[in-house]
Amino acid sequence: MTTLTRRRALHLAVAGAVAGPAVLRITRAHAAEFTLKAANNAPVSHPLTIYMTKAADAIREETGGKVEVKLFPNNQLGGDTDMLSQLRSGALELFTLSPLILATLVPAASISGVGFAWSSYDKLWPAMDGDLGAHVRAQIDKSGLYAFDRIWENGFRQTTSSSRPILKPEDFKGFKIRVPPSPMWTSMFKAFDAAPMTINFAEVYSALQTKIAEGQENPLTLIDTAKLYEVQKHLSKTNHMWDGFWLLSNGKIWRGLPQDVKTVVAKHFNAQAVEQRAETLKRNISTEQDLRGRGLAFHDVDTKAFQAKLQSAGFYKEWKGKFGDDAWALLEKHTGSIA
Ligand code: X2X
């Protein structure tokens, strides 16, 4: 394929989108033929950003600069809700998003986030890389988006607070907790009798600082890299949910790219996702000491009591009904009986 037709293919594919930044053309000896904007909600020091950058570097190198992935981390393009709109309209080519937030568009996607479903990564990764992930990706496809094969890691979520520590399920009663925009998160914290409020991650630090929300829940690496310890006092190891990030593209744009470009882009993003899982897991464990040192008080809790509360509040019945018996059976094939 000639440069000209490749350029034309991209222009067709990203019709309506802004062309690659002019600076590239001026400063690079060989201008990129394909410029793909990639965005996320994670700080620059978070492994999601670090390993997406590694993928972008590997893609640039293997294509001799013809394919440029330009990264916009840390909500530079807006919060998750905005970025999802940009992805759908074609203004953004690549975007990582929690399966549970994606569920606002693709309801089936939140199945990996069912509370207390996963007892180990030995069960989780084969499920997400295998038939459970394939089930979700097929639904994503139907929505007009494309999901790359390998999901990225966020981690098991823990609960933080600036007011009282959450030690038992009853402590959640009336607790003003920020949750991401997603039906399953709201449903889970209503089941705990908390007062969940939906806020995009881009606004979480200020919502905690101004005490609009008393608490939030996230894996340790995000609490650390987003400096949430500056505005929180307690961390309870509720371990209530696993969460990841699907790397998504706009389906039309993705299909419009030449096969050789797609192959290189997918190869490096999928490979770096697997590396990023290992690094994030390591940091989700090792960061505890750092966070303690920064003044966050850690509390171990009886997670079984929290799960029992979800059960008695009808959370599992509700979500099994929403996902349907077949999808639920697919989940439990990997997790074992959940509730
Ligand atoms: O919004 C959050 O809390 C985050 C960063 O964990 C997600 O992307 C769901």
Side-chain angles (χ1 to χ4, degrees), residues 41-43 46 48 75 80 96-101 154-155 157 178-182 185 199-202 204 216-219 222 226 228 241 243-245:
N41 68 6
H46 189 279
L48 180 65
N75 298 299
D80 280 327
T96 51
L97 184 64
S98 160
L100 282 82
I101 303 178
N154 190 350
R157 301 179 74 95
R178 171 272 171 173
V179 295
S182 157
W185 256 299
I199 300 174
N200 274 299
F201 193 66
V204 167
Q216 66 85 47
E217 41 81 62
N218 250 303
L222 254 175
L228 301 187
M241 174 201 286
D243 193 28
F245 298 100

Side-chain angles (χ1 to χ4, degrees), residues 45-58:
S45 57
H46 189 279
L48 180 65
T49 304
I50 295 171
Y51 285 79
M52 286 176 80
T53 305
K54 286 182 195 250
D57 290 346

Side-chain angles (χ1 to χ4, degrees), residues 268-288:
H268 290 295
F269 273 113
N270 288 328
Q272 292 303 327
V274 174
E275 300 293 319
Q276 185 264 358
R277 294 172 182 177
E279 173 64 17
T280 311
L281 172 61
K282 212 169 76 191
R283 282 171 59 167
N284 276 335
I285 296 166
S286 66
T287 300
E288 178 168 341

Side-chain angles (χ1 to χ4, degrees), residues 112-293:
S112 53
V114 169
F116 303 101
W118 302 102
S119 58
S120 85
Y121 281 102
D122 292 344
K123 294 178 180 171
L124 175 70
W125 295 131
M128 297 312 289
D129 291 342
D131 53 10
L132 186 66
H135 160 73
V136 170
R137 292 174 64 249
Q139 299 304 312
I140 295 173
D141 209 58
K142 283 189 191 150
S143 78
L145 299 179
Y146 168 77
F148 286 66
D149 289 353
R150 295 288 175 260
I151 193 165
W152 298 62
E153 169 71 322
N154 190 350
F156 282 88
R157 301 179 74 95
Q158 319 299 345
T159 305
T160 67
S161 165
S162 64
S163 53
R164 60 183 185 270
I166 303 297
L167 304 175
K168 331 179 272 315
E170 305 85 77
D171 295 328
F172 266 135
K173 199 163 173 46
F175 185 67
K176 288 190 287 172
I177 185 165
R178 171 272 171 173
V179 295
S182 157
M184 184 181 275
W185 256 299
T186 301
S187 154
M188 178 182 284
F189 284 90
K190 279 193 174 153
F192 283 138
D193 293 328
M197 54 184 81
T198 288
I199 300 174
N200 274 299
F201 193 66
E203 271 93 51
V204 167
Y205 185 98
S206 64
L208 296 171
Q209 188 175 37
T210 56
K211 303 223 162 49
I212 286 171
E214 296 173 81
Q216 66 85 47
E217 41 81 62
N218 250 303
L220 263 52
T221 304
L222 254 175
I223 292 167
D224 180 39
T225 54
K227 298 192 181 350
L228 301 187
Y229 55 80
E230 293 178 349
V231 288
Q232 297 284 271
K233 288 196 190 115
H234 299 280
L235 185 145
S236 305
K237 292 184 170 179
T238 47
N239 228 37
H240 50 278
M241 174 201 286
W242 175 79
D243 193 28
F245 298 100
W246 285 115
L247 176 61
L248 304 168
S249 184
N250 175 302
K252 230 189 233 161
I253 290 179
W254 182 250
R255 283 190 300 275
L257 291 171
Q259 190 55 51
D260 57 347
V261 172
K262 284 193 285 197
T263 302
V264 175
V265 170
K267 180 177 82 175
H268 290 295
F269 273 113
N270 288 328
Q272 292 303 327
V274 174
E275 300 293 319
Q276 185 264 358
R277 294 172 182 177
E279 173 64 17
T280 311
L281 172 61
K282 212 169 76 191
R283 282 171 59 167
N284 276 335
I285 296 166
S286 66
T287 300
E288 178 168 341
Q289 279 317 316
D290 300 339
L291 289 174
R292 282 178 190 270

Side-chain angles (χ1 to χ4, degrees), residues 320-338:
K320 186 177 178 184
K322 284 190 173 147
F323 292 125
D325 289 346
D326 290 350
W328 195 263
L330 187 56
L331 174 64
E332 287 194 322
K333 186 182 110 181
H334 295 282
T335 60
S337 175
I338 293 170

